[in-house]
């Protein structure tokens, strides 16, 4: 079965290139640049994993992860957070993300994290 990965980042360049690279690994990729649309899309699309930026306009990634982890329907959704900020790894840990990767990241490192989360 092909793993469905949803990526949310307001930087459409990062969104597009990460999506293309993950598709080359055989994943089905769903892209969402607007964080305020993410929660309804997760309900509809039911991804197997979420890759989300921390620093975004409208809804911040940490707010979204808190909501997802506190909802019984999405609490088990594996989430990898990413950012270029120095304090982002701590934030990801505090909100309950399953993993974190620093921008810019190596796509093989990201793929290894995805595989490790099952």
């Amino acid at each position: 079965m092909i793993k469905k990965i949803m990526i949310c980042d307001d930087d459409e360049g990062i969104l597009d290139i990460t999506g293309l690279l993950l598709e080359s690994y055989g994943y089905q990729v769903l892209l969402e640049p607007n964080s305020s649309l993410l929660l309804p899309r997760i309900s509809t699309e039911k991804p197997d994993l979420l890759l989300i930026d921390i620093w975004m306009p409208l809804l911040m990634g940490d707010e979204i992860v808190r909501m997802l982890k506190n909802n019984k329907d999405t609490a088990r959704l594996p989430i990898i957070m990413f950012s270029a900020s120095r304090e982002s790894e701590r934030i990801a840990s505090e909100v309950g993300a399953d993993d974190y990767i620093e921008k810019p990241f190596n796509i093989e490192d990201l793929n290894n994290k995805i595989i490790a989360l099952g």
Side-chain angles (χ1 to χ4, degrees):
M1 187 174 124
I2 296 174
K3 187 173 280 205
K4 188 188 306 185
I5 299 175
M6 184 167 283
I7 308 171
C8 184
D9 192 329
D10 62 304
D11 182 327
E12 294 201 36
I14 290 173
L15 195 64
D16 290 342
I17 192 68
T18 304
L20 286 171
L21 291 169
L22 288 177
E23 283 176 349
S24 76
Y25 278 83
Y27 299 111
Q28 178 184 353
V29 178
L30 307 165
L31 306 177
E32 183 53 66
N34 185 334
S35 60
S36 67
L37 301 177
L38 184 62
L39 295 173
R41 279 205 65 200
I42 287 172
S43 305
T44 305
E45 303 278 356
K46 307 229 181 295
D48 299 307
L49 183 135
L50 174 63
L51 178 62
I52 185 169
D53 188 18
I54 293 177
W55 305 101
M56 292 185 288
L58 306 173
L59 270 176
M60 296 280 287
D62 60 329
E63 295 173 280
I64 292 169
V65 173
R66 273 193 190 98
M67 287 186 254
L68 291 168
K69 292 298 184 179
N70 288 319
N71 179 324
K72 66 178 178 57
D73 296 327
T74 55
R76 294 183 182 266
L77 174 65
I79 300 172
I80 300 174
M81 298 188 85
F82 61 99
S83 181
S85 169
R86 291 181 196 197
E87 60 189 87
S88 297
E89 188 170 10
R90 176 187 56 78
I91 292 168
S93 176
E94 286 175 1
V95 299
D98 299 279
D99 209 338
Y100 170 81
I101 193 163
E102 186 175 329
K103 283 183 189 175
F105 49 81
N106 176 299
I107 196 66
E108 275 189 43
D109 293 340
L110 177 59
N111 187 49
N112 289 335
K113 288 178 178 285
I114 292 168
I115 291 168
L117 289 174

